[in-house]
């Protein structure tokens, strides 16, 4: 029993207190009802629901270290193929790290009941090649630019309560309650992975969120059809 205890303690210590090698990636994960916020403090990037990390070389490991926070209630970060689950607790900072050696899409979800839409608080982790990750970083660092053809949609977006919940860099929208939309159309999904990110689904999501994700905290914007089409056209330019 003593030998098993010492062996177990040694493994736990090596996992929980693993040193950060040079070249590792730092990400702050914030759990919200009912979506994920990802902040890359060393890269100046903020995104939502789809986590991008570089693949790690087994000969020269470059793992990704995650700082886990909660904005409201208990959540749990769990992607089975990448590691065990770790909880996100209000007023507490937890940590974990992942060291994926194969590129691809890895899926998971919140593993701690957090309210009505807990089951649809999905996780998507994209493990990119080094070149793909660098390209994604450069794209995310660019300021979103909309053309003149969607000026009306931008005006409607900025004159509604959208700006109180969402951020679009370079505009008056600087809300933090909902996902950052600066590069919305670079994501494959919306509503925390519930539906694919298409103009049709985006329109439905804005018009009637409950039809996509019942119990979502996203309010129905009550826009007329003309204004709704204009806002969707504007959001489609945020790449």
């Amino acid at each position: 029993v003593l030998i098993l205890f010492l062996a177990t303690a040694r493994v736990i210590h090596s996992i929980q207190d693993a040193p950060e090698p040079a070249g590792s990636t730092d990400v702050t994960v914030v759990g919200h009802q009912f979506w994920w916020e990802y902040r890359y403090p060393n890269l100046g990037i903020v995104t939502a629901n789809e986590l991008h990390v570089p693949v790690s070389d087994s000969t020269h490991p470059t793992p990704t270290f995650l700082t886990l926070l909660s904005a409201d209630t208990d959540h749990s970060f769990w992607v089975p193929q990448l590691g065990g689950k770790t909880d996100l607790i209000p007023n507490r900072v937890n940590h974990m790290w992942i060291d994926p050696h194969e590129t691809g899409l890895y899926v998971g979800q919140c593993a701690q009941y957090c309210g009505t839409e807990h089951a649809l608080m999905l996780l998507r982790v994209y493990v990119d090649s080094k070149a793909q990750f660098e390209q994604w970083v450069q794209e995310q660092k660019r300021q979103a630019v909309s053309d003149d053809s969607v000026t009306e949609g931008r005006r409607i977006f900025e004159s509604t309560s959208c700006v109180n919940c969402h951020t679009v860099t370079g505009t008056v929208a600087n809300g933090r309650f909902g996902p950052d939309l600066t590069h919305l159309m670079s994501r494959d999904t919306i509503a925390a992975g519930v539906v694919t990110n298409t103009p049709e689904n985006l329109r439905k999501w804005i018009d009637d969120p409950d039809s996509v994700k019942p119990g979502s905290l996203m309010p129905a914007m009550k826009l007329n059809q003309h204004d709704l089409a204009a806002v969707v056209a504007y959001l489609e330019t945020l790449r």
Side-chain angles (χ1 to χ4, degrees):
V1 172
L2 180 60
I3 292 173
L4 289 174
F5 171 79
L6 293 174
T8 301
R10 181 173 180 272
V11 172
I12 291 175
H13 173 74
S14 67
I15 293 175
Q16 292 188 339
D17 298 316
E20 281 197 50
S24 61
T25 302
D26 291 318
V27 182
T28 299
V29 180
V30 184
H32 298 259
Q33 291 178 308
F34 301 95
W35 60 282
W36 301 94
E37 179 181 8
Y38 301 118
R39 296 183 169 271
Y40 297 72
N42 298 329
L43 300 174
I45 293 172
V46 179
T47 186
N49 296 319
E50 297 180 0
L51 175 63
H52 283 257
V53 301
V55 69
S56 180
D57 186 343
S58 57
T59 58
H60 300 286
T62 53
T64 297
F65 284 79
L66 307 177
T67 299
L68 305 174
L69 309 173
S70 172
D72 35 54
T73 186
D74 292 356
H75 302 284
S76 192
F77 187 96
W78 186 40
V79 183
Q81 290 177 284
L82 298 180
K85 72 184 185 74
T86 303
D87 290 345
L88 295 78
I89 308 296
N91 303 313
R92 177 180 173 83
V93 180
N94 283 342
H95 300 275
M96 68 176 293
W97 55 275
I98 56 177
D99 189 36
H101 292 165
E102 294 184 8
T103 59
L105 171 62
Y106 297 81
V107 296
Q109 72 171 80
C110 177
Q112 178 69 36
Y113 182 74
C114 56
T116 306
E117 279 309 310
H118 158 70
L120 294 179
M121 187 172 166
L122 307 180
L123 276 162
R124 296 171 69 87
V125 179
Y126 293 78
V127 178
D128 300 329
S129 68
K130 301 291 185 180
Q132 289 173 328
F133 183 72
E134 286 300 322
Q135 180 181 357
W136 178 80
V137 167
Q138 294 307 313
E139 291 172 351
Q140 295 295 307
K141 284 186 174 182
R142 288 203 304 263
Q143 182 170 305
V145 179
S146 58
D147 56 55
D148 294 338
S149 65
V150 294
T151 301
E152 182 183 15
R154 174 172 173 172
R155 177 187 60 77
I156 295 169
F157 177 85
E158 293 181 352
S159 63
T160 66
S161 58
C162 299
V163 298
N164 296 328
C165 292
H166 298 285
T167 291
V168 176
T169 303
T171 75
V172 298
N174 61 358
R176 294 285 299 277
F177 187 75
D180 189 303
L181 301 180
T182 304
H183 298 285
L184 169 66
M185 298 310 293
S186 70
R187 302 168 196 160
D188 292 334
T189 62
I190 56 176
V194 174
V195 292
T196 54
N197 190 3
T198 65
E200 294 76 17
N201 285 337
L202 186 58
R203 183 187 182 105
K204 187 176 182 181
W205 174 240
I206 297 170
D207 186 44
D208 185 11
D210 269 1
S211 68
V212 177
K213 192 171 181 176
S216 168
L217 299 185
M218 167 82 171
M221 297 311 299
K222 307 295 185 182
L223 299 175
N224 61 51
Q225 293 304 304
H226 173 81
D227 288 355
L228 178 60
V231 169
V232 171
Y234 164 62
L235 294 177
E236 284 185 77
T237 68
L238 301 181
R239 298 182 181 276

